[in-house]
Amino acid sequence: AKSEEQRVQQLQRCLERSLELSASPYPPPLIIAGDYNCELFPGSCVHAFLQNVKRDEQDTMSEAAYNALHIADDLDGSGLNSPENEVQYRIRECSRANRLPSNTLPSKEQLQSWDNLHASVASFVYDHCWKLDRVKTGCTRVAYDHDEEIIDDDSESVVQHTDSQSRTDNDSNSDGCVPGKHGRKTMAQWHLDHILYTSHSLVPLGKWSTLE
């Protein structure tokens, strides 16, 4: 799936199908493994499948919060990456999913659409008593960084390569190179392959590093 909506639909269909085939009214033991084509970072709609919380606890993007972010002095990413506010996580992931340039906030319409999709996943998980967790397999793909800015030595022009995926948990390159280096591409890592399981009925006994 190449969009967050498609990923949500595919995963939800898988969960619904498992309920249909189960002899019990409760979620059966289940493992869903494969290439999710997303990093499952907090704030993403697919990540909401891992949160079994009440619907009234899902915070929404208010007008005041949106305006406050627009007038914030520091838009270097530090505010959007703050672990203190789930709303900020969703703003960050919404920007990435829409392939917006760095330090660019999504529109109110984009945020509203993202918030609605996120809330629908949380409601589905809560209503059907799913309790999913993810095996911490780490990064599963290494390639040239899609999001870095490449500076042409001759013309001094900047070409920004964007992608829907983010680089790592802290948005740093694996080899410590600085994006935008003259005449040089850098490598990055992504978490794209995942193993989800029902944490109320299964326990992972072991795992190994995906990349060496």
Side-chain angles (χ1 to χ4, degrees), residues 169-195:
D169 284 300
N170 57 3
D171 286 339
S172 61
N173 290 314
S174 57
D175 60 357
C177 297
V178 178
K181 185 72 174 179
H182 284 267
R184 179 184 179 186
K185 284 187 175 182
T186 56
M187 302 295 289
Q189 299 179 358
W190 291 265
H191 316 72
L192 301 182
D193 303 270
H194 306 283
I195 302 173

Side-chain angles (χ1 to χ4, degrees), residues 46-210:
V46 178
H47 184 270
F49 281 102
L50 307 182
Q51 304 174 10
N52 192 347
V53 296
K54 294 182 180 180
R55 282 169 288 184
D56 56 4
E57 293 177 356
Q58 294 296 311
D59 45 359
T60 56
M61 188 60 192
S62 65
E63 183 89 8
Y66 181 84
N67 293 334
L69 282 168
H70 264 292
I71 62 176
D73 292 330
D74 60 335
L75 290 179
D76 59 355
S78 59
L80 298 183
N81 288 313
S82 172
E84 300 174 358
N85 198 327
E86 173 65 19
V87 172
Q88 292 179 336
Y89 276 134
R90 294 210 297 273
I91 294 172
R92 180 193 63 187
E93 294 305 310
C94 180
S95 298
R96 289 170 172 170
N98 286 281
R99 300 189 178 185
L100 300 179
S102 178
N103 300 333
T104 301
L105 293 174
S107 66
K108 295 180 182 179
E109 291 74 18
Q110 289 172 326
L111 281 172
Q112 185 63 52
S113 177
W114 189 266
D115 208 46
N116 291 340
L117 182 62
H118 192 280
S120 71
V121 173
S123 295
F124 172 81
V125 170
Y126 177 74
D127 291 342
H128 296 279
C129 301
W130 283 106
K131 198 169 184 180
L132 299 174
D133 203 352
R134 178 176 64 91
V135 178
K136 307 303 186 292
T137 50
C139 295
T140 61
R141 178 176 182 250
V142 175
Y144 284 122
D145 192 348
H146 305 292
D147 297 328
E148 70 176 336
E149 294 180 345
I150 304 299
I151 302 177
D152 192 314
D153 287 317
D154 297 326
S155 63
E156 293 297 324
S157 61
V158 177
V159 179
Q160 183 176 16
H161 300 271
T162 61
D163 192 270
S164 60
Q165 313 300 337
S166 50
R167 287 188 291 268
T168 61
D169 284 300
N170 57 3
D171 286 339
S172 61
N173 290 314
S174 57
D175 60 357
C177 297
V178 178
K181 185 72 174 179
H182 284 267
R184 179 184 179 186
K185 284 187 175 182
T186 56
M187 302 295 289
Q189 299 179 358
W190 291 265
H191 316 72
L192 301 182
D193 303 270
H194 306 283
I195 302 173
L196 300 188
Y197 65 96
T198 48
S199 58
H200 67 281
S201 55
L202 299 173
V203 177
L205 298 179
K207 62 184 179 65
W208 58 92
S209 175
T210 310

